[in-house]
Structure formats: C-alpha cells, structure tokens
Amino acid sequence: MIEKRIHRFLPLALLLLCMGIWSARVSLFEIYDAAVENSAQLDAAHPAKK
C-alpha cells in the first residue's frame, strides 16, 4: 500500500524538485550578478585598495 502511494506521488515530487532547483538556480544567478555589480562599484570607489 505504501509503495502505491510512493508511485502516485513520485512524479509530483520530481516536478517540485525540478522547480525548486530551477528557482534556486535563477536566484543564485541574480545574487551573483548583484555581487559582481557591488564589487565593480567598490573597485571604482577605492581603486588604490587593490
């Protein structure tokens, strides 16, 4: 009986997992872009610190 439940919910779990990975990937890219912009601004503000 438990195996039937697992087989019923497996596609839904895989779909949720893929959606979670996709949204995490997108947010990681956004965070990376923001970090690059911030570091570029800091380098422009303090060029002698390099």
Side-chain angles (χ1 to χ4, degrees):
M1 179 149 182
I2 295 175
E3 286 181 2
K4 283 186 179 179
R5 271 192 198 166
I6 290 173
H7 284 302
R8 182 183 299 170
F9 287 114
L10 192 61
L12 181 64
L14 284 174
L15 180 65
L16 288 173
L17 183 67
C18 289
M19 285 173 58
I21 290 172
W22 179 256
S23 61
R25 220 183 64 166
V26 171
S27 60
L28 280 177
F29 275 131
E30 288 177 1
I31 291 169
Y32 178 74
D33 286 342
V36 169
E37 284 180 12
N38 284 340
S39 65
Q41 288 175 359
L42 285 175
D43 288 346
H46 305 285
K49 262 196 172 181
K50 268 194 161 182

Coordinates of all heavy atoms in Angstrom, one line a residue:
M1 N 0.8 -1.2 0.0 CA 0.0 0.0 0.0 C 0.9 1.3 0.0 O 0.6 2.2 -0.7 CB -0.9 0.0 1.3 CG -1.8 1.2 1.3 SD -3.3 0.8 2.2 CE -4.1 2.4 2.1
I2 N 1.9 1.2 0.8 CA 2.8 2.4 0.8 C 3.5 2.6 -0.5 O 3.7 3.7 -1.0 CB 3.9 2.2 1.9 CG1 3.2 2.2 3.3 CG2 4.9 3.3 1.9 CD1 4.1 2.0 4.5
E3 N 3.9 1.4 -1.2 CA 4.5 1.5 -2.5 C 3.6 2.2 -3.5 O 4.0 3.0 -4.4 CB 4.9 0.1 -3.0 CG 6.1 -0.4 -2.2 CD 6.6 -1.8 -2.7 OE1 5.9 -2.3 -3.6 OE2 7.5 -2.3 -2.1
K4 N 2.3 1.9 -3.5 CA 1.4 2.5 -4.4 C 1.3 4.0 -4.2 O 1.3 4.8 -5.1 CB 0.0 1.9 -4.2 CG -0.2 0.6 -4.8 CD -1.6 0.1 -4.8 CE -1.8 -1.2 -5.4 NZ -3.1 -1.7 -5.3
R5 N 1.4 4.5 -2.9 CA 1.4 5.9 -2.6 C 2.6 6.5 -3.2 O 2.6 7.6 -3.8 CB 1.3 6.1 -1.1 CG -0.1 6.2 -0.6 CD -0.1 6.7 0.8 NE -1.4 6.4 1.4 CZ -1.6 6.5 2.7 NH1 -0.6 6.8 3.5 NH2 -2.8 6.2 3.2
I6 N 3.8 5.9 -3.0 CA 5.1 6.4 -3.5 C 5.0 6.6 -5.0 O 5.4 7.6 -5.5 CB 6.2 5.5 -3.1 CG1 6.4 5.6 -1.5 CG2 7.5 5.9 -3.8 CD1 7.4 4.6 -1.0
H7 N 4.5 5.5 -5.7 CA 4.4 5.6 -7.2 C 3.4 6.7 -7.6 O 3.6 7.3 -8.7 CB 4.0 4.3 -7.7 CG 5.1 3.3 -7.7 ND1 6.3 3.4 -8.3 CD2 5.2 2.0 -7.1 CE1 7.1 2.4 -8.1 NE2 6.4 1.5 -7.4
R8 N 2.4 7.0 -6.8 CA 1.5 8.0 -7.2 C 2.1 9.4 -7.0 O 1.9 10.3 -7.8 CB 0.2 7.9 -6.3 CG -0.9 8.9 -6.7 CD -2.0 8.8 -5.8 NE -2.7 7.5 -5.8 CZ -3.6 7.1 -5.0 NH1 -4.0 7.9 -4.0 NH2 -4.2 5.9 -5.1
F9 N 2.9 9.6 -6.0 CA 3.4 10.9 -5.7 C 4.8 11.2 -6.2 O 5.3 12.3 -6.2 CB 3.4 11.2 -4.1 CG 2.0 11.4 -3.6 CD1 1.5 10.4 -2.7 CD2 1.3 12.5 -3.9 CE1 0.2 10.6 -2.2 CE2 0.0 12.7 -3.4 CZ -0.5 11.7 -2.5
L10 N 5.4 10.2 -6.8 CA 6.7 10.3 -7.3 C 6.8 11.4 -8.4 O 7.7 12.2 -8.4 CB 7.3 9.0 -7.8 CG 8.8 8.9 -8.1 CD1 9.6 9.3 -6.9 CD2 9.2 7.6 -8.6
P11 N 5.9 11.4 -9.4 CA 6.0 12.4 -10.5 C 5.8 13.8 -9.9 O 6.6 14.7 -10.3 CB 4.9 12.1 -11.4 CG 4.6 10.6 -11.2 CD 4.9 10.4 -9.7
L12 N 4.9 14.0 -8.9 CA 4.7 15.3 -8.3 C 6.0 15.7 -7.6 O 6.4 16.8 -7.7 CB 3.5 15.2 -7.4 CG 3.2 16.5 -6.7 CD1 2.8 17.6 -7.7 CD2 2.1 16.3 -5.6
A13 N 6.6 14.8 -6.8 CA 7.8 15.1 -6.1 C 8.9 15.5 -7.0 O 9.7 16.4 -6.8 CB 8.2 13.9 -5.2
L14 N 9.1 14.8 -8.2 CA 10.1 15.1 -9.1 C 9.9 16.5 -9.7 O 10.8 17.3 -9.9 CB 10.2 14.0 -10.2 CG 10.8 12.7 -9.8 CD1 10.7 11.7 -11.0 CD2 12.3 12.9 -9.5
L15 N 8.6 16.8 -10.0 CA 8.3 18.1 -10.6 C 8.6 19.2 -9.6 O 9.2 20.2 -9.9 CB 6.8 18.1 -10.9 CG 6.3 19.4 -11.5 CD1 6.9 19.7 -12.9 CD2 4.8 19.4 -11.7
L16 N 8.2 19.0 -8.3 CA 8.6 20.0 -7.3 C 10.1 20.2 -7.1 O 10.6 21.3 -7.0 CB 7.9 19.6 -6.0 CG 6.4 19.8 -5.9 CD1 5.9 19.2 -4.6 CD2 6.0 21.2 -6.1
L17 N 10.8 19.0 -7.2 CA 12.2 19.1 -7.1 C 12.9 19.9 -8.2 O 13.7 20.8 -8.0 CB 12.8 17.7 -7.0 CG 14.3 17.6 -6.8 CD1 14.7 18.0 -5.4 CD2 14.8 16.1 -7.0
C18 N 12.4 19.6 -9.4 CA 12.9 20.3 -10.6 C 12.6 21.8 -10.5 O 13.5 22.7 -10.8 CB 12.3 19.7 -11.9 SG 13.0 18.1 -12.2
M19 N 11.4 22.2 -10.1 CA 11.0 23.6 -9.9 C 11.9 24.2 -8.9 O 12.3 25.4 -9.0 CB 9.6 23.7 -9.6 CG 8.6 23.4 -10.7 SD 6.9 23.4 -10.2 CE 6.7 25.0 -9.5
G20 N 12.2 23.5 -7.8 CA 13.0 24.1 -6.7 C 14.4 24.4 -7.2 O 15.0 25.4 -6.9
I21 N 15.0 23.4 -7.9 CA 16.3 23.6 -8.4 C 16.4 24.7 -9.4 O 17.3 25.5 -9.4 CB 16.8 22.3 -9.1 CG1 17.0 21.2 -8.1 CG2 18.1 22.5 -9.9 CD1 17.3 19.8 -8.7
W22 N 15.3 24.8 -10.3 CA 15.3 25.9 -11.3 C 15.2 27.3 -10.6 O 16.0 28.2 -10.9 CB 14.1 25.7 -12.2 CG 14.0 26.8 -13.2 CD1 13.1 27.8 -13.2 CD2 14.8 26.9 -14.4 NE1 13.3 28.6 -14.3 CE2 14.4 28.1 -15.1 CE3 15.9 26.2 -14.9 CZ2 15.0 28.5 -16.2 CZ3 16.5 26.7 -16.1 CH2 16.0 27.8 -16.7
S23 N 14.3 27.4 -9.6 CA 14.2 28.7 -9.0 C 15.5 29.0 -8.2 O 15.9 30.2 -8.1 CB 13.0 28.7 -8.1 OG 13.1 27.7 -7.0
A24 N 16.1 28.0 -7.6 CA 17.3 28.3 -6.8 C 18.4 28.7 -7.8 O 19.2 29.6 -7.5 CB 17.7 27.0 -6.1
R25 N 18.5 28.1 -9.0 CA 19.5 28.5 -10.0 C 19.3 29.9 -10.4 O 20.2 30.7 -10.5 CB 19.4 27.6 -11.2 CG 20.7 27.1 -11.8 CD 20.5 26.3 -13.0 NE 19.8 27.1 -14.0 CZ 19.7 26.7 -15.3 NH1 20.2 25.5 -15.6 NH2 19.2 27.5 -16.2
V26 N 18.0 30.3 -10.6 CA 17.8 31.7 -11.1 C 18.2 32.7 -10.0 O 18.8 33.7 -10.2 CB 16.3 31.8 -11.4 CG1 15.9 33.3 -11.7 CG2 16.0 31.0 -12.7
S27 N 17.8 32.4 -8.7 CA 18.1 33.3 -7.6 C 19.6 33.4 -7.4 O 20.2 34.4 -7.1 CB 17.4 32.9 -6.4 OG 17.8 31.6 -6.0
L28 N 20.3 32.2 -7.6 CA 21.8 32.3 -7.5 C 22.4 33.2 -8.6 O 23.3 33.9 -8.3 CB 22.4 30.8 -7.6 CG 22.2 30.0 -6.4 CD1 22.7 28.6 -6.6 CD2 23.0 30.6 -5.2
F29 N 21.9 33.1 -9.8 CA 22.4 34.0 -10.8 C 22.1 35.4 -10.5 O 23.0 36.3 -10.7 CB 21.7 33.7 -12.2 CG 22.4 32.5 -12.9 CD1 21.6 31.5 -13.4 CD2 23.7 32.5 -13.1 CE1 22.2 30.4 -14.1 CE2 24.4 31.5 -13.8 CZ 23.6 30.4 -14.3
E30 N 21.0 35.7 -9.9 CA 20.7 37.1 -9.5 C 21.6 37.6 -8.4 O 22.2 38.7 -8.5 CB 19.2 37.2 -9.0 CG 18.2 37.1 -10.2 CD 16.8 37.2 -9.7 OE1 16.6 37.3 -8.4 OE2 15.9 37.1 -10.5
I31 N 21.9 36.7 -7.5 CA 22.8 37.1 -6.4 C 24.2 37.3 -6.9 O 24.9 38.3 -6.6 CB 22.8 36.0 -5.3 CG1 21.4 36.0 -4.6 CG2 23.9 36.2 -4.3 CD1 21.3 34.8 -3.7
Y32 N 24.6 36.5 -7.9 CA 25.9 36.6 -8.5 C 26.1 37.9 -9.2 O 27.1 38.6 -9.1 CB 26.2 35.4 -9.4 CG 27.5 35.4 -10.1 CD1 28.7 35.2 -9.4 CD2 27.6 35.8 -11.4 CE1 29.9 35.2 -10.0 CE2 28.9 35.8 -12.1 CZ 30.0 35.5 -11.3 OH 31.2 35.6 -11.9
D33 N 25.0 38.2 -10.0 CA 25.1 39.5 -10.8 C 25.2 40.7 -9.8 O 25.9 41.6 -10.0 CB 23.8 39.6 -11.6 CG 23.9 38.7 -12.9 OD1 25.0 38.3 -13.2 OD2 22.8 38.5 -13.5
A34 N 24.4 40.7 -8.7 CA 24.4 41.8 -7.8 C 25.8 41.8 -7.1 O 26.3 42.9 -6.9 CB 23.3 41.6 -6.7
A35 N 26.4 40.7 -6.8 CA 27.7 40.7 -6.2 C 28.8 41.3 -7.2 O 29.6 42.1 -6.8 CB 28.1 39.3 -5.8
V36 N 28.7 40.9 -8.4 CA 29.6 41.5 -9.4 C 29.4 43.0 -9.5 O 30.4 43.7 -9.6 CB 29.4 40.8 -10.8 CG1 30.1 41.5 -11.9 CG2 29.8 39.3 -10.7
E37 N 28.2 43.5 -9.6 CA 28.0 44.9 -9.6 C 28.5 45.6 -8.4 O 29.2 46.6 -8.5 CB 26.5 45.2 -9.8 CG 25.9 44.9 -11.2 CD 24.5 45.2 -11.3 OE1 23.9 45.9 -10.3 OE2 23.9 44.9 -12.3
N38 N 28.3 45.0 -7.2 CA 28.8 45.7 -6.0 C 30.3 45.7 -6.0 O 30.9 46.7 -5.6 CB 28.3 44.9 -4.8 CG 26.8 45.2 -4.5 OD1 26.3 46.2 -5.0 ND2 26.1 44.3 -3.8
S39 N 31.0 44.6 -6.4 CA 32.4 44.6 -6.3 C 33.0 45.6 -7.4 O 34.0 46.2 -7.1 CB 32.9 43.2 -6.6 OG 32.6 42.8 -7.9
A40 N 32.3 45.7 -8.5 CA 32.8 46.7 -9.5 C 32.6 48.1 -8.9 O 33.5 49.0 -9.1 CB 32.0 46.6 -10.8
Q41 N 31.5 48.4 -8.2 CA 31.4 49.7 -7.6 C 32.4 50.0 -6.5 O 33.0 51.1 -6.4 CB 29.9 49.8 -7.0 CG 28.9 50.0 -8.1 CD 27.5 50.0 -7.5 OE1 27.3 49.9 -6.3 NE2 26.5 50.1 -8.3
L42 N 32.7 48.9 -5.7 CA 33.7 49.1 -4.7 C 35.1 49.4 -5.3 O 35.9 50.2 -4.8 CB 33.7 47.8 -3.8 CG 32.6 47.7 -2.8 CD1 32.6 46.4 -2.1 CD2 32.5 48.8 -1.9
D43 N 35.4 48.6 -6.4 CA 36.7 48.9 -7.0 C 36.8 50.3 -7.6 O 37.9 50.9 -7.5 CB 36.9 47.8 -8.1 CG 37.2 46.4 -7.6 OD1 37.5 46.4 -6.4 OD2 37.1 45.5 -8.3
A44 N 35.7 50.8 -8.1 CA 35.7 52.1 -8.7 C 35.8 53.2 -7.5 O 36.5 54.2 -7.7 CB 34.4 52.4 -9.5
A45 N 35.2 52.9 -6.4 CA 35.3 53.8 -5.3 C 36.7 53.8 -4.6 O 37.1 54.8 -4.1 CB 34.2 53.5 -4.3
H46 N 37.3 52.6 -4.5 CA 38.6 52.5 -3.9 C 39.6 51.8 -4.8 O 39.9 50.7 -4.6 CB 38.4 51.7 -2.6 CG 37.4 52.2 -1.6 ND1 37.6 53.4 -0.9 CD2 36.2 51.8 -1.3 CE1 36.5 53.6 -0.2 NE2 35.6 52.7 -0.4
P47 N 40.1 52.5 -5.8 CA 41.0 51.9 -6.7 C 42.4 51.6 -6.1 O 43.1 50.7 -6.6 CB 41.1 52.9 -7.9 CG 40.7 54.2 -7.3 CD 39.8 53.9 -6.1
A48 N 42.7 52.3 -5.1 CA 44.1 52.1 -4.5 C 44.1 50.9 -3.6 O 45.2 50.5 -3.3 CB 44.5 53.4 -3.7
K49 N 43.0 50.4 -3.2 CA 42.9 49.3 -2.3 C 43.4 48.0 -2.9 O 43.8 47.0 -2.2 CB 41.5 49.1 -1.7 CG 41.3 49.7 -0.4 CD 40.1 49.2 0.3 CE 40.0 49.7 1.8 NZ 38.9 49.2 2.4
K50 N 43.4 47.9 -4.3 CA 43.8 46.7 -4.9 C 45.2 46.5 -4.6 O 46.0 45.8 -5.0 CB 43.5 46.8 -6.4 CG 42.2 46.2 -6.8 CD 42.1 45.9 -8.2 CE 40.9 44.9 -8.5 NZ 40.8 44.7 -9.9

